[in-house]
Structure formats: C-alpha cells, structure tokens
Amino acid sequence: METFSRRLAVVIVVTVLLYWKSGGCSGLVCRGILWVEPTPVFSMGSSVSVICTSSIENCHPEKFSVYLNNNPQPSLHHLNHSAVELQLHHVTIPHSSIRCHVKCKGQRGQQMVCGKDIKGGYPPDKPTNLTCVSKWKSNKINCTWKKGIDTYINTSYIVEFQSSGRIQMFSPQMEGYVPIPLSHFEMDAEYNVSVHAKNHLGQSQSAIIQLTINDVVIPDTPTITNITFVNSSHKKAVLQWNKSEQLCAEVRYRATVTDWNMVEEKETSCENSRFELRGLKPFTQYEFQIRGCKPNKKLRCSDWSPSFLERTPEAEPCRRVDVWRIMGPTHGNGSQTVTILWKPLAPKYSRGIILGYKVFYREYGKQLHSHVCQPKDTQYQITLPKHTKTLYITALNSKGSSEAAQVSIDQKEFPPPIITKLTSADSSGILLAWKPPSQTKGSILWYIAEWHRHDGNMWWKKVTCLQNSTYIEAKVSGSRYHISLYAIYSNGESKPATAEAYSKELEPIAGPKVSVVETQKKRALIKWEDIPVHLQRGFIKTYTIYLKKGIDEKQVRNVSVALRQYWLESLEPVVLYTVYMTAWNSAGKGAKGEEIILKLADGYDVTILVVIVVAVTFSIAIPLIVMFCNSIRHRIKRICILWVPKWVFEEFPRVENSSVVKLLQEKYRTDSDSSWLSLHSDPPITEVEETIFFSEEVASLPSLLGEDTLAERTEWQCAGKPEADDTPSAHRGYQPQVSNQEEDHLLDSVETSQVELLDSSSPAECGIFTMLLNGTFDISSRSLLPGGDINVTFGGNAQIIDLTSFRGKRERVEFNEMHDFSIEGSDQGQTLLPDALMDCLRHSEEPVAVNSYFPQLVVHPVTEGDC
C-alpha cells in the first residue's frame, strides 16, 4: 500500500510539471473535444460558451464535471449523452483554465476529457510620446514610447523607419524601448518614424515623427557639483555644474512632493558653469536637476541630470505660537496657578530647528519671570502674581525667536459663540460649526475649540476668525466628547459655548440597574439609575422594561429617557416576576441590565400590617415600662389619688407575713412564756376594741385599780363626754402610728422601764401588763384616761394601765415582735389607735410621729399639759 502511494505521488508530480511546462492545459492529452466560443482569447467582460464532448472508448458517460480554475461549475446543460455546455457570463479574469471530466458507468472515479486555457484582454492602445535620441559618444539610437493600458494578452510592437521608399522595422527587446545601431541610417537622410502595436483583438499605430540622425544626437548629461548659499541665507543660492563645449543650462527644482519649478531662460548662463537661484524658502529640502542644451537648436538638449538634494539655511520663526491655558486654583495671597499650553510650530513656520519655547510674564513693563522649555514640551505650569493678567510665549531657533504670543488670564463675561451644528464625520471625527456671538465686545481675533473625553485627556486647536467651522479629531468610537468653544478678543475671552457629541455611536454595553421602591396590592414602583457615561457609548433615547412572569411569558414596556421610576401595574400577588431593563441609542439596543426578583404580598396591604405591628408593640411596651419603672408608677399613683377615693390606696397589714403565725405553724411548739418573750418574735395578735369612756363610767375604775391609785391621777385633760363631732360615726378610720425619732440613750431608759414594770408588786398592773405583753387577753376597747393612763377592757372587765413610771420626758417605747425596743426609723407593722388618743395627740404642741402598724403594743408616756 505504501509503495502504491509513492507511485501515485510521483505520477501526480510529473503530471503537474508537464502541465506547468507546457503553459497550462495546452500540453494535456485530450480524449475528447473542449470547444470555446467565440475564441479562447476574447475581449474582457464578454460571455463565453464552453462545450465538452467525450470520446473515451468503452465509456458510457454517467456524469460530467467542468472546472474553472479548479472550481466546479454548476448548471451544466446536457446537449446529448456525451456532450455538455457551460455558459460563462461577463468574464473579467484575464487568464483562466478549464478542465472537463466524465464519470463512466461501472467505473470508479472520473476521467479527464480535455483542458484548455482561455484569456480575456484588450486591443492595444495607440502608442504615444515616441522619442529617438543618441548620445554624442554612443553608436546607437534609442527609441522609446508609452504603450498605454495593459492588454493582458500577447501584444507585439514594431518601430518602423521609412525613407525614400525604404522601410526598416525593428522589434523591441524590452517593453517600450528599442536600441537601433547607427549603422542602419544615413546621417543626413530624413526618416518618418512610427510604432505599430498588434494582438488577437486588434492593432494600433502611433503618430509619425520626422527626424534626421543629426537631429537626434544630444549632448551628454551634465551633473551638479555643488550648491552654496550666500551669507548662509536662503535668499540666494549659487549652483555649479560640469559644463562642456558651448552649452546652455536649464535648471529645475522642487520641494518635497511638489511640482517642478523651472528657472526662467534669462537667469540661465551659457558662458560659465555657475548661476544663481533666488526665491527659495528657508529650511526647506530641495531637489535640483540640470540639463545642457545647444542654443537655438531643436531637440538638442541632454537628459536631466541626477537629482541633487540640499536644504536651505534656517531663518527666524515667522509665526506666533498657538497658545491656550488651563486655569488652576487661586491662593490666599491672590496668586494663581496657570498651565500654559502651546502647539509646536510647523516646519514652514519654524523655518529651522526649534531649540526651545520661552514662557514669561511682565509687570509694569518689566520682564519678571522667564523659563525656557524643552523643544518637546507642549505645556508649562506657572504661578502668577495677583495683578498679572497676561502670559507670553515665543519659539526659539538658531536665527532668533518668533513674535510673542499672549494669552489672557483675566476671564471676561463676554457672550459665547453660538454652536449651530455638531455631527459625526467619517466615524473618526466631529464637524463643529458655529456663528459669532449676537453681541460682541470688539473684533474677534480667533476661536479656540477645546474637547476632552471622560478620562480627562484634553485637546484643543486654534481657528481663525474667518472660519465658522472646524474638524475635531475624535478617533475613539463610542466615547463621549465634551466640546467647548471660546471667542478670543484683544482684551479677553468669551464664556464657553458647550456641547457633547460622539464621532460614532455604538450599542450600550450595560443596562440600567433596577431596584424596587414600593409595592402595593397589585402594582409595584421601580426605579433605576443612569448608566455610566463610558458604558452608554451613545446618547440614550429610550429605555425598555422587561417583565418576565415565570419562564416563558414576557412583557415589554418602553419608557421615556427622562423618567427614573415607573409603576408596574396589574401584577398578581405571590407570583415571582423577573424584571430587567435595556437602553437604546442610535446604534441599537444595548446589553440587558441586572435582573431582580419581584414578588407581591398575599393580598395584604403592607401599610395596614405595619400599623397593626406598631399598635401591638406599643400596647405591650407601655405596660411593661409602667411595671418596671418605679418613678412612673409613683407619678401615676399621685395623679390617681386626686380622683380616686382614699380607701382604695389604704394599706392593711398582711397577717400571713407575721412571725407569730409562722411560730404557730411550727410542729414542736412549747408552752413556756419565755418563748413568747423572745426578743426575736412578735407577740400574739390580740383583738382590740375601741371604747369611749364617759364621765359616769369613770366611777367604776376604783374597783379595778383602787381608789388611792385613782386619786393620784390628774384630771382629764382631753376626755369627757364627747361632742357631736366626736362620736364613733365621726371616726376617722385607720390612722398610722407615728413614731418620734430620739437619740440613742433613750433605749436604756426604755429597757429600765420595762424591767420595773414587770417587777411591779401590784398584781393587777403586773398581771395586766404581762398579759399585754404575752397577748393572753382579748382587748375589746381602749381609751385615754386622765393622767395619761390607758383604759383597756379584757373580756368585758375594764382595766387601767398605770403609766406614771413613764412620765417625764416624752418618750416613745415600742415593743417589737421579739419583745425588744427599737427607735428611729422603725419600719415595723401598724396598729390602731383610739380616736380620743389621736385627738389628744393632735392638740399637742410638739409633733408626735406616727409610725406604721406594729404587731406589738406601743406605749407613749404623756406628760401633763400635753393635752
């Protein structure tokens, strides 16, 4: 298999080489006919018909294929079972090859029938500019001509010399040029010379020229040897050349890429080998040529010499620098920072190599500050004093400096120009047009156009006052340019006229960012932000809102570019919506913005829900604040006391908190009296009944205490028969006991009194008092007796407690629940005092402190005159 592949490759290579060496398809062996009508060589652009007929033996054609330059051609027209036709219309290819193949029935692959080259071309143009010349030292005559357009097919040219019935023809060895030996001609004979061109499509002949051999002999080509400039100035140049025999010189020169300038005849010299040239521009590269001619002889000039290149000397710059400025900050001392900008001078204005730019300012006619910037610099930052309003700049070269260009720092409020047109130009620039301000402040010197992109790069240009339009270079497509136009006057500048434009708009590369502001029952308010300028890539004309429900359903809503929010109506609750936006400009629709998910609540108004939450919060928070804040509770209680009955706020003792009750609940309780006299427990609770004694009831007192004891008592001071307002009906209710705060030494006195009272020899007093202390009696009533004693009824029998041992200094004795005495600040329980005692205490000159309820008996000694 490998051997077969190698053999096949060799056969293909040999076939290709034979095809190439034979000049195309002409060397192929045909097994049929390939006919081209009208001819294989045809006029360019005409139609051609190709007919292929197979004559291969033992082949029944199944399919024909025709290839034009190795490209199979469709639409073959079958003429019969062994011939097909291909129509080629308007052929404009100069050279093509056609091959015809056929596939025989029962055989593999295709076989070539035949191939042929076809050519399209033009008939020859009429030759022009026929010239025949001969150098002095040459033995040949050279004829040249211009053939015209290319014919694309083989074309023959013949130069014909005809003289006295004799015709000589010469074929060129090179295109457009034929050298002919002088030996074929007679020096004085006159010849008619012409050029004939011919090919398959036609023939042509040039115009006939008449000449003699002597006429065509020309001088040798001279050369320029040197060019010098007088006084190193461009105004006068001297050219030197190698003159021979009596020849005059013709000189021509030109600057780069310009037409030739011929030196007038009067300025040429035929007597020497040098002459002067004037009118050259400074610092300009020139190309000089020279040729020699015989005076007053036709066709007797030599060829032009090779070019001689020379640059003229420099001259001082002839134009002011174009200058502009960028205003900086103003400092505290009144000085101001200014950045001065300038354009490099063009070579025709610089007229030499720029060595630098000098920036300076003047004050009172004197140059105060100057700085020379480098030739490559185009800006310089300087801080000007407070009263300096003008800045100057000049360009420097080896010959001098330009006139100073000035820029005003003092900004005026002159009216700006009026921009009339701002359009894109060839996708890489912007055309700016304007008209002068309606009201001017003098003659406009020129205009300044300034433009920059969002990245801060700034460009500017100076426009003469005669123009009302200019071209702004803006090569970045899709980038917004901010344009400002100033009118410059002799005494200042105008306010800028501003505008924005694109050299070419592109589709936005981002969409607006959407957010939800508010949702209601069946609608939602969305808002969006502006697309950043560098992403808009054009002026936004409209927005499109896309509302997608679920997966497939989509709604499109176009909104104005002036809007920044929009209500989406007819929304369904509990449905997920996808919302995004796109922006449109003149280039088309931009990329879509960020998607958001929108879902409305399940039919409930958010406002009502918020109100309910707030109300519940307050209803819970306010009671909690009142409960845990003492100051608020006290304030509320004080306010309520004014409007609510007093009994509502009366505080009664809580029996369950008594230590006596706790002792009674003990499992193992003894009957010893000492347990009741413990200093750390309350006495037993005794029922006390308030009783009011009248004068007739006092007579029974001796039976209880003895008359001698009663006789020693003082008269009643506060008791007696009660008045109408002192009846029990006028009872003032519960009264807190007020305790009087005394010094610490009172405690010893009280303890001594207690011991004396317990050790009394009177059985009645000791027993009664012991029973008071132990709580083994029932108190049904009590009253204050004359002398400060207390009347107590025990089970219906009245007993009087002698308190004489407590007379003297007023003291307050308190028995606490542990049978101990306490003073000052006692906060024990409360007891009930009789109204008579309370009335007596109210009439006392000194205030009597009333303490809260105490479970023990409280005894107040009362001195004479207290009541």
Side-chain angles (χ1 to χ4, degrees):
M1 183 66 181
E2 183 177 356
T3 303
F4 175 77
S5 300
R6 291 180 179 178
R7 290 179 180 179
L8 180 61
V10 171
V11 171
I12 293 174
V13 171
V14 172
T15 303
V16 171
L17 291 175
L18 291 175
Y19 173 78
W20 172 76
K21 188 174 181 180
S22 63
C25 298
S26 57
L28 297 177
V29 177
C30 292
R31 291 184 292 177
I33 299 174
L34 189 62
W35 183 261
V36 179
E37 292 184 355
T39 60
V41 179
F42 52 89
S43 296
M44 190 74 72
S46 60
S47 298
V48 177
S49 177
V50 180
I51 299 175
C52 177
T53 302
S54 175
S55 58
I56 300 175
E57 297 180 354
N58 300 324
C59 176
H60 298 282
E62 181 179 355
K63 180 181 179 182
F64 282 91
S65 298
V66 178
Y67 296 88
L68 176 64
N69 296 329
N70 296 323
N71 296 319
Q73 299 299 307
S75 305
L76 298 178
H77 177 60
H78 290 266
L79 300 178
N80 52 47
H81 71 282
S82 60
V84 293
E85 180 183 13
L86 172 65
Q87 291 287 339
L88 300 176
H89 302 283
H90 192 64
V91 180
T92 56
I93 301 176
H95 183 273
S96 301
S97 62
I98 296 179
R99 301 194 317 272
C100 179
H101 296 258
V102 65
K103 182 180 183 305
C104 301
K105 290 183 178 181
Q107 297 182 8
R108 293 182 178 180
Q110 293 181 340
Q111 300 185 45
M112 180 180 289
V113 177
C114 192
K116 186 169 289 190
D117 293 333
I118 59 176
K119 298 179 180 180
Y122 300 98
D125 279 350
K126 181 179 179 179
T128 58
N129 295 339
L130 175 61
T131 302
C132 295
V133 295
S134 177
K135 301 290 181 66
W136 280 352
K137 299 178 181 182
S138 174
N139 58 359
K140 293 181 180 181
I141 182 172
N142 300 315
C143 294
T144 59
W145 65 91
K146 291 183 177 180
K147 67 176 184 176
I149 65 172
D150 191 359
T151 60
Y152 296 109
I153 58 177
N154 294 329
T155 302
S156 62
Y157 292 89
I158 296 177
V159 178
E160 182 180 280
F161 284 79
Q162 184 178 1
S163 174
S164 302
R166 182 186 174 189
I167 299 177
Q168 299 181 74
M169 297 183 180
F170 302 95
S171 297
Q173 297 177 354
M174 298 176 63
E175 184 177 343
Y177 169 79
V178 56
I180 304 171
L182 290 177
S183 59
H184 290 276
F185 306 103
E186 298 178 1
M187 299 302 293
D188 296 331
E190 187 174 287
Y191 293 92
N192 294 327
V193 184
S194 62
V195 178
H196 298 265
K198 183 179 180 181
N199 62 23
H200 288 85
L201 300 178
Q203 59 183 2
S204 63
Q205 180 182 345
S206 69
I208 298 175
I209 61 173
Q210 295 179 351
L211 55 83
T212 63
I213 300 302
N214 290 330
D215 292 335
V216 299
V217 176
I218 60 175
D220 291 334
T221 303
T223 56
I224 299 174
T225 58
N226 190 26
I227 296 178
T228 59
F229 297 94
V230 180
N231 298 327
S232 298
S233 173
H234 67 283
K235 298 179 180 179
K236 184 179 180 180
V238 177
L239 184 147
Q240 296 178 351
W241 59 295
N242 57 343
K243 179 183 177 182
S244 63
E245 299 184 5
Q246 296 296 322
L247 295 177
C248 298
E250 288 186 356
V251 177
R252 66 181 183 179
Y253 64 90
R254 65 180 178 180
T256 307
V257 197
T258 58
D259 295 333
W260 289 101
N261 296 304
M262 296 295 297
V263 179
E264 296 181 4
E265 185 179 354
K266 63 181 180 179
E267 296 182 5
T268 61
S269 175
C270 298
E271 298 178 356
N272 51 49
S273 59
R274 53 179 293 174
F275 61 92
E276 296 180 355
L277 293 174
R278 299 180 184 272
L280 300 179
K281 297 179 180 180
F283 201 67
T284 303
Q285 184 79 17
Y286 281 100
E287 179 182 359
F288 299 92
Q289 288 183 348
I290 190 172
R291 69 180 180 178
C293 299
K294 286 188 176 182
N296 301 323
K297 293 294 183 179
K298 186 179 182 181
L299 297 177
R300 300 301 290 264
C301 292
S302 68
D303 292 336
W304 289 104
S305 69
S307 296
F308 189 94
L309 301 177
E310 186 67 30
R311 183 182 293 275
T312 57
E314 295 184 2
E316 67 277 359
C318 63
R319 182 176 175 177
R320 296 175 179 175
V321 179
D322 292 343
V323 62
W324 188 229
R325 86 292 176 276
I326 298 177
M327 305 302 296
T330 301
H331 306 288
N333 58 358
S335 62
Q336 186 172 18
T337 300
V338 178
T339 301
I340 183 171
L341 312 172
W342 63 86
K343 297 283 188 182
L345 286 176
K348 65 179 180 179
Y349 301 125
S350 65
R351 305 202 301 178
I353 298 176
I354 295 297
L355 303 178
Y357 295 91
K358 182 180 179 181
V359 179
F360 62 95
Y361 61 85
R362 294 190 179 100
E363 189 170 3
Y364 307 112
K366 298 180 180 180
Q367 182 172 321
L368 296 181
H369 175 85
S370 64
H371 177 79
V372 178
C373 301
Q374 295 298 321
K376 296 181 179 180
D377 294 340
T378 57
Q379 65 181 27
Y380 176 68
Q381 188 176 87
I382 187 173
T383 301
L384 299 178
K386 180 178 181 180
H387 299 291
T388 301
K389 303 301 180 184
T390 306
L391 197 59
Y392 301 89
I393 183 172
T394 59
L396 308 175
N397 65 10
S398 61
K399 294 296 183 178
S401 62
S402 65
E403 293 185 26
Q406 67 181 36
V407 58
S408 176
I409 308 303
D410 188 15
Q411 296 178 339
K412 304 291 184 180
E413 295 296 326
F414 297 154
I418 302 173
I419 297 178
T420 58
K421 188 177 182 181
L422 197 63
T423 58
S424 174
D426 62 31
S427 299
S428 61
I430 299 172
L431 179 62
L432 172 65
W434 66 88
K435 62 181 180 180
S438 56
Q439 296 179 355
T440 60
K441 298 295 183 179
S443 299
I444 297 177
L445 301 180
W446 59 80
Y447 297 95
I448 294 291
E450 177 185 294
W451 66 97
H452 62 89
R453 295 192 300 161
H454 67 276
D455 56 8
N457 294 331
M458 194 267 282
W459 300 267
W460 64 278
K461 69 185 299 186
K462 179 181 177 181
V463 185
T464 65
C465 60
L466 302 178
Q467 293 180 245
N468 60 359
S469 63
T470 187
Y471 175 82
I472 293 177
E473 186 175 353
K475 295 183 179 180
V476 181
S477 299
S479 182
R480 182 179 297 183
Y481 288 87
H482 304 268
I483 302 171
S484 301
L485 181 66
Y486 299 82
I488 308 302
Y489 300 88
S490 59
N491 57 343
E493 64 192 39
S494 71
K495 295 185 294 184
T498 59
E500 294 180 338
Y502 288 86
S503 59
K504 181 181 179 181
E505 294 193 16
L506 302 175
E507 298 86 353
I509 58 177
K513 185 177 180 180
V514 187
S515 61
V516 179
V517 178
E518 180 184 354
T519 59
Q520 296 183 0
K521 188 173 182 180
K522 290 186 178 181
R523 64 176 188 164
L525 178 63
I526 62 172
K527 71 173 183 179
W528 56 90
E529 301 174 357
D530 284 334
I531 304 173
V533 174
H534 66 282
L535 301 179
Q536 294 182 13
R537 306 206 300 176
F539 294 110
I540 303 300
K541 294 185 175 181
T542 185
Y543 293 109
T544 301
I545 302 175
Y546 297 87
L547 183 63
K548 189 176 181 182
K549 177 182 177 182
I551 300 177
D552 301 325
E553 186 177 354
K554 181 184 295 185
Q555 301 179 23
V556 179
R557 306 180 185 184
N558 296 321
V559 296
S560 172
V561 69
L563 298 178
R564 288 297 175 273
Q565 59 183 16
Y566 185 79
W567 280 101
L568 298 175
E569 305 286 351
S570 302
L571 302 181
E572 299 178 12
V574 201
V575 175
L576 289 178
Y577 292 93
T578 303
V579 183
Y580 64 91
M581 294 181 66
T582 58
W584 294 75
N585 58 21
S586 60
K589 183 178 75 170
K592 73 175 185 178
E594 181 180 350
E595 294 183 351
I596 63 170
I597 303 299
L598 174 62
K599 180 181 179 181
L600 299 184
D602 189 8
Y604 293 102
D605 193 343
V606 177
T607 304
I608 297 176
L609 182 60
V610 171
V611 171
I612 293 174
V613 171
V614 171
V616 172
T617 302
F618 272 94
S619 63
I620 296 174
I622 291 175
L624 290 177
I625 293 173
V626 173
M627 289 172 61
F628 292 100
C629 186
N630 292 333
S631 60
I632 296 179
R633 288 204 312 273
H634 291 324
R635 290 180 183 178
I636 295 176
K637 184 175 181 180
R638 289 181 189 144
I639 295 173
C640 294
I641 287 174
L642 301 176
W643 304 97
V644 179
K646 296 181 179 181
W647 57 266
V648 175
F649 297 100
E650 288 186 359
E651 296 182 0
F652 296 95
R654 297 179 179 270
V655 178
E656 63 271 13
N657 294 333
S658 174
S659 299
V660 175
V661 176
K662 295 179 180 179
L663 290 174
L664 292 175
Q665 293 176 350
E666 292 180 1
K667 183 176 182 181
Y668 302 100
R669 179 175 174 226
T670 63
D671 296 330
S672 176
D673 293 341
S674 61
S675 63
W676 297 98
L677 298 177
S678 174
L679 297 177
H680 301 283
S681 60
D682 284 337
I685 297 175
T686 305
E687 293 183 5
V688 179
E689 179 182 355
E690 182 176 358
T691 304
I692 301 175
F693 287 86
F694 300 99
S695 58
E696 61 269 20
E697 296 176 336
V698 178
S700 61
L701 287 178
S703 63
L704 294 176
L705 299 177
E707 296 181 8
D708 54 348
T709 304
L710 182 61
E712 296 177 0
R713 303 294 184 262
T714 61
E715 298 180 354
W716 288 96
Q717 296 180 4
C718 296
K721 193 166 183 70
E723 302 294 336
D725 56 352
D726 293 332
T727 59
S729 63
H731 180 249
R732 290 176 176 83
Y734 164 76
Q735 297 294 338
Q737 178 181 350
V738 180
S739 61
N740 196 19
Q741 297 181 356
E742 302 294 343
E743 295 181 7
D744 296 339
H745 68 274
L746 178 62
L747 180 60
D748 298 334
S749 177
V750 173
E751 291 178 353
T752 303
S753 300
Q754 180 185 11
V755 174
E756 292 178 354
L757 184 61
L758 293 176
D759 295 337
S760 176
S761 59
S762 175
E765 293 181 359
C766 183
I768 295 172
F769 201 74
T770 303
M771 294 170 64
L772 277 170
L773 295 178
N774 293 335
T776 57
F777 58 88
D778 295 321
I779 300 176
S780 59
S781 65
R782 57 188 173 137
S783 178
L784 183 63
L785 298 178
D789 296 338
I790 297 178
N791 177 26
V792 182
T793 301
F794 300 93
N797 297 320
Q799 299 290 333
I800 296 177
I801 301 175
D802 186 4
L803 300 180
T804 56
S805 61
F806 299 103
R807 290 183 181 179
K809 181 180 176 181
R810 172 175 293 183
E811 296 175 347
R812 184 186 57 144
V813 181
E814 298 179 358
F815 295 95
N816 59 18
E817 59 184 359
M818 301 301 297
H819 290 202
D820 197 2
F821 295 94
S822 63
I823 62 171
E824 189 176 355
S826 175
D827 55 353
Q828 302 300 319
Q830 297 175 342
T831 186
L832 297 178
L833 302 179
D835 290 344
L837 179 58
M838 292 302 300
D839 291 340
C840 178
L841 294 177
R842 289 191 190 98
H843 289 81
S844 176
E845 295 179 358
E846 295 182 13
V848 180
V850 180
N851 270 357
S852 300
Y853 164 77
F854 294 92
Q856 73 278 6
L857 177 65
V858 179
V859 179
H860 290 272
V862 183
T863 61
E864 294 182 3
D866 289 341
C867 295

